[in-house]
Amino acid sequence: MSGAWITIGHPALLWGLAVCPLLVLATWRSRIDASRGRLAMATLARVLSAALVVLAIADARVRWPTQKLAVALVIDGSASVSPREAAATRAAAPRRRVERDDVRWIDLGESAPSGALESELAASIDTAVALLPTGRVRRVVLATDGRETRGDAVGAADRARRAGVQVFVMPQGDHPAVDLVAVSGIEAPRLVRAGREVSVGVRLFAAGDRSVVLHLQRDGVSVTRREVSARSGTSLHDLSVAFPEEGVHELRVTATAEGDRVSENNSWRMLVRVVTPPRVLLVNELEGRSPSLSAVYREAHLHVDEVHPEGVPSDAAGLDRYQFVVLDELVLTSLTEPQQRALRVWVEERGGGLLTTTGMHGVGREPELLREIEPIMPPRAVPEPRPIELILVIDRSGSMMGPNIVNARNAGIAAVRALRPDSRVGVVAFSGEADLVVPPVPMTRADEVTRAIAGIRAGGGTNLAAALNAATNIVTDDDRYLHHVILMSDGESQPGPAIAAANALRYTGATITAITLGPRVNLMREISRIGRGRYHVTSSSTSLPQLFVREAQFRSPPPAREAQFRPSVSARMGFMDGVDPSADPPLLGFTVSQIRPGALALLQAPDGSPVLAHWFVGMGQVASLTTATSSRWADAWRTGAGFRRLFGQMAWEMLRVQSDDNLELHVEALPGRSDARRVSIVAPTTATDPAPVVSLSRGRVEGVRLAVRPTAPGVWSASVALGEGFVVDARMPSSREPTVAGGAEAPYPAELRGFGSDEPSLSAIARAGGGRVIRRLDEALDDVRGERVMREARLALLVGALLAYLLGVLALRMPRRARARR
C-alpha cells in the first residue's frame, strides 16, 4: 500500500489544470466594476473551482483513517477438502456479521465446484480483490489446504498486497481428513543395467501416523510386500527390485491402509528402461580352471569373458565392448607393449574401470605403462649391500640370423657394461646344445665376457633345457651375491625337459627372467613364473638392449608377508557398503607395496601396507588388490560373504563411463499446460554434433522414435503428451545402447496426490499477501486500529468546486460600499 496521502486515478486528465491561467487572464481583463481586492478574490475562487472540478474528473482519492473492514471469504471446494470442513468454515461467517456490524462480508463461495479434482487459488484471490469495496480496510481470507494444481497463488497474493489488500490463509483439509493414505510418487533410476538390484523410494502421504502395507510389482508380477510405519504428512520408504532382462519394464506400487476411503490415489505406475548387463574382461594365467572372481561376477549378473594374456585386445577400440577389466593374479609383463598401451588409453581416455590383483607376485616397477596407473607402487627400496651375479642365456639358433643376432649381441654387451663394479657375469649361448659357456667372472674380466658375446653366431636348433642346465651348472652358491638369469629366445622347445631344468635352476636360489623375441610363448612365460622373475615379449630385436639393461639391474621385490590376518578398513567408498573384513575368514598373506600420492588405501594390512587401494586416473579409475583371489592365500577368504559382496559391488561401481554418458536428459512442465512435458537432451559440448537418437515408450513394448529439433547449440527438444506417463531414452548415434533416460507419470489427477494442509505453501501465500496463517476467522478481524485507506473524493471535490464558484460570483456581485462624505 502506497504511503501517499492522495492518488490520481486518471493522471492524463490533470492537463485540464491548464485552464487556470486562462481564467486568471479572463477575470483580470474583464470590465467588471470591482475593486482590486474583490477581483483577486473572484479570480482565486474561479481557479480553485476549476482545479477541484479537474481533480474530481481525474478521480482523485484521499487517504483517510478508518476502522471499517471489508472481508472476502474464499473456500477451497476441491476434493482435497472435505465438504463437512468447508461447510463449517462457511457457517462461521454469518456469526461474525452479527458480532461485528462494521465488517462487510463477501462470501465468494468455493474456489472450485465441490469435489472438483483441480484447484485454482490464484483466480479466486484475483476475483476477491476485484469485488472488495474501496474505502475500507480490505482483507481476503483464503480457506484452503494450499495444494494448488493450477495457477500461481503466491503471485496472486503478491498482486493483492500491492493493491492494498491483505491475504490471510486459514488451513483446511485436516478436520476431518478426506483420505488416510496416498502414494504420491516413486523415486527410482530411469536407466538400469539388466541384473542390477536398485532401490525404489515410495513417497507416501498419510493423514496421521499409521501402518501401511506396500506392494511392489514388476510387469504385473509381485516382487515384494512390506508393512511400513508412515508418519503424518509425507514420508519416503525404500523397497528393492532387480531387472533380469533388458527392455522397458513397469513398476507399480500399491498402498493399503485400514479405513482408507479413497482408493484412486493408492497406486503409482512408473516405466524404467533396462539395458544389457555390463561385460567384464577377466584376464588370468590359470590353466585348466576358472578364476574365483568369474563366479563372483556371474553371481552379480555380469557377463564375463575369461581370456589368457594373449586374448587381450591390442587397441583401445577392441576394449570398448567391455565396461570393466580385471588383471587377476597376472604378471603384468606378460602383456605386450601394444596391449599395455591399449589398456592405459582405455582407462585414461575412454573412462574404463580396471582392477589389478597381485596374487603372490611381487609389486615391481615393470611394466611402467601399467604400473604408473596403479594406485600402488613398489615399497621403499631397502639398501641392498649384495651385488648381482648375472648369467646371460642367449639363443643363437638359425632363426636368429640377421639383425636379430646382432641386436642380441649388442644387448648382452650393454647388460655387462651396466653392472656394478662388484658384480659378476657369465654367459651361455645355445642352439641345439649349450655351445658357449662362460662361468661367472668378476667385472675386472668383463672384457673376456664381452668378447665371447661378440663372437656369437647364429645357427642350429633350439634346446632350452640344455641352456638352463648349463646355467644351473655355472651358477655359484656364494650368498654374497644375488643370482639372476636372463633367458632370451625366439623359438619353442620341448616343454617337459625345459620345465624340469627351470625348476632345477630355481632350487639354486637364482631368479629367471624370460624374454621372447616374436610371438608369445607359453613355455617361456611358465619358466619366468617358476623362476620368480619377469616375462617380456617384444616383436622387435631393437628393444633387446633396453630390456637386457633393465634386467641387469634387477632386484627381486621384497618377500611377501605370509601370515594369517584380517585387513582393517582405513577408508570407505560406495562399493564397500556392507563389507566388514573383521567378520570374514582371514587372509594368509599379501605382497608388500606402498600407496601412491593421491590414491586412497581402503584396506590395510597390520603393518599399514595397502591391501586394497583405489584412485581416479584421467577419465577412468583403477583399483589394486595386493593379495590373492584364486591362489592359496585366499582359500578361506573366498568362502566369506564379504568376498563376493566386495568384488561384485566394486565391478558395478567402477563400470566404464563412456563419453556419451555425459548426455543430460530433462523432462520439464510446459508453461500453461498440465497435459504435456518438454523433453530436452543436452550434449556435453556445444560443438555441432549429430542429433541424438531418442526413443519414447508408454508401455512395456519397445518405444517409437521421437523426433527432436535443435533449440540451442548442443540442445535438442520435443513436446510430449503426458497421458498416464512415459519413459524416454537417448543415445548418440555412435553408441550401441541408451546412455540416459527420463520420464513422467500421471496415474491419477494431481489433486489426489496429497491431503491435509500444506503448511509451507500456506505460509508462502500469507507472506506474499502481507497477512498471516490464522486458525479462526476472528483473527482476520483484528489489528485494524489506525489504518488508513484511500477513499473517493469526487463528491466532496465537486461540492467544493460549486462553493468556490458561488464565492467568486458573490465577490463580483456584492454592491460596492459608498465612500463617506467629508
Side-chain angles (χ1 to χ4, degrees), residues 204 206 208-214 226-237:
L204 282 181
D209 297 345
R210 64 189 67 255
S211 178
V212 180
V213 176
L214 297 179
R226 176 185 167 200
E227 185 173 351
V228 300
S229 296
R231 66 177 184 271
S232 180
T234 300
S235 57
L236 187 67
H237 305 271

Side-chain angles (χ1 to χ4, degrees), residues 577-588:
D577 289 346
V579 176
D580 181 10
S582 64
D584 286 329
L587 285 159
L588 300 181

Side-chain angles (χ1 to χ4, degrees), residues 65-106:
T66 184
Q67 292 185 3
K68 293 185 177 181
L69 273 172
V71 180
L73 176 62
V74 180
I75 299 176
D76 188 344
S78 62
S80 56
V81 177
S82 71
R84 194 168 79 184
E85 186 176 15
T89 302
R90 186 181 298 105
R95 293 197 298 271
R96 302 292 86 77
R97 291 193 187 97
V98 174
E99 297 167 3
R100 294 284 299 270
D101 57 359
D102 61 332
V103 178
R104 182 172 178 182
W105 285 88
I106 300 175

Side-chain angles (χ1 to χ4, degrees), residues 331 333-334 364-368 388-393 411-412 414-416 418-420 423-425 482-488 511-516 528 531-537 543-557:
V331 177
T333 53
S334 62
R365 289 180 169 78
E366 302 295 333
E368 291 183 4
I388 191 172
E389 181 183 272
L390 178 65
I391 298 176
L392 303 175
V393 182
V416 173
L419 292 174
R420 283 167 39 178
S423 299
R424 295 197 302 199
V425 61
L482 292 171
H483 305 281
H484 186 48
V485 175
I486 300 177
L487 168 65
M488 191 282 296
T511 54
I512 310 169
T513 285
I515 302 174
T516 296
S528 67
R532 296 162 301 160
R534 293 179 285 194
Y535 179 51
H536 302 281
V537 179
S543 62
L544 289 177
Q546 181 182 6
L547 291 174
F548 268 58
V549 169
R550 192 177 296 168
E551 289 298 326
Q553 299 168 346
F554 175 81
R555 294 291 186 272
S556 59

Side-chain angles (χ1 to χ4, degrees), residues 105-391:
W105 285 88
I106 300 175
D107 190 346
L108 270 70
E110 297 176 346
S111 64
S114 181
L117 295 181
E118 291 187 342
S119 55
E120 195 169 357
L121 305 179
S124 300
I125 295 173
D126 291 336
T127 303
V129 171
L131 293 178
L132 282 169
T134 58
R136 290 174 176 256
V137 176
R138 297 184 295 167
R139 293 179 176 177
V140 172
V141 176
L142 181 64
T144 179
D145 61 355
R147 299 182 183 278
E148 186 180 33
T149 56
R150 282 189 179 181
D152 179 11
V154 173
D158 182 65
R159 290 193 298 272
R161 178 184 55 79
R162 287 187 278 110
V165 179
Q166 285 181 291
V167 178
F168 290 78
V169 180
M170 187 172 176
Q172 301 281 278
D174 290 314
H175 307 288
V178 175
D179 190 25
L180 297 185
V181 66
V183 180
S184 55
I186 298 178
E187 296 180 3
R190 292 286 185 174
L191 188 69
V192 179
R193 288 277 183 188
R196 185 77 187 272
E197 186 173 276
V198 298
S199 176
V200 178
V202 181
R203 287 198 307 274
L204 282 181
F205 178 84
D209 297 345
R210 64 189 67 255
S211 178
V212 180
V213 176
L214 297 179
H215 182 204
L216 174 63
Q217 293 177 302
R218 182 191 62 228
D219 301 329
V221 177
S222 178
V223 174
T224 184
R225 189 184 296 270
R226 176 185 167 200
E227 185 173 351
V228 300
S229 296
R231 66 177 184 271
S232 180
T234 300
S235 57
L236 187 67
H237 305 271
D238 287 332
L239 303 174
S240 60
V241 61
F243 297 91
E245 299 176 354
E246 57 185 297
V248 178
H249 295 266
E250 179 189 84
L251 289 178
R252 186 178 294 274
V253 174
T254 303
T256 306
E258 185 177 353
D260 185 51
R261 297 186 297 274
V262 180
S263 60
E264 292 86 350
N265 58 10
N266 288 4
S267 181
W268 194 276
R269 165 185 179 268
M270 177 182 180
L271 295 174
V272 176
R273 184 72 165 90
V274 181
V275 295
T276 56
R279 189 174 292 274
V280 176
L281 179 64
L282 182 56
V283 188
N284 67 92
E285 295 182 292
L286 297 178
E287 298 292 346
R289 64 189 180 98
S290 183
S292 299
L293 288 182
S294 181
V296 171
Y297 292 143
R298 290 191 171 94
E299 183 180 318
H301 305 286
L302 300 166
H303 282 320
V304 181
D305 288 348
E306 296 179 32
V307 299
H308 286 166
E310 55 268 22
V312 176
S314 297
D315 63 316
L319 291 165
D320 281 346
R321 63 194 300 257
Y322 299 103
Q323 282 76 44
F324 192 52
V325 173
V326 182
L327 306 181
D328 189 28
E329 300 195 15
L330 190 71
V331 177
L332 299 185
T333 53
S334 62
L335 296 172
T336 65
E337 286 192 16
Q339 289 173 323
Q340 296 169 26
R341 190 171 293 105
L343 275 168
R344 183 160 179 168
V345 170
W346 182 76
V347 170
E348 293 182 321
E349 300 180 12
R350 302 187 182 226
L354 174 66
L355 168 66
T356 63
T357 70
T358 64
M360 301 174 70
H361 305 295
V363 178
R365 289 180 169 78
E366 302 295 333
E368 291 183 4
L369 276 172
L370 291 182
R371 290 298 187 194
E372 287 177 349
I373 64 172
E374 283 189 305
I376 57 173
M377 58 184 180
R380 293 176 180 86
V382 177
E384 177 56 69
R386 293 185 296 169
I388 191 172
E389 181 183 272
L390 178 65
I391 298 176

Side-chain angles (χ1 to χ4, degrees), residues 578-597:
V579 176
D580 181 10
S582 64
D584 286 329
L587 285 159
L588 300 181
F590 64 96
T591 56
V592 181
S593 67
Q594 61 177 325
I595 196 76
R596 285 190 185 274

Side-chain angles (χ1 to χ4, degrees), residues 501-512:
N503 279 305
L505 181 56
R506 174 190 177 184
Y507 294 146
T508 66
T511 54
I512 310 169

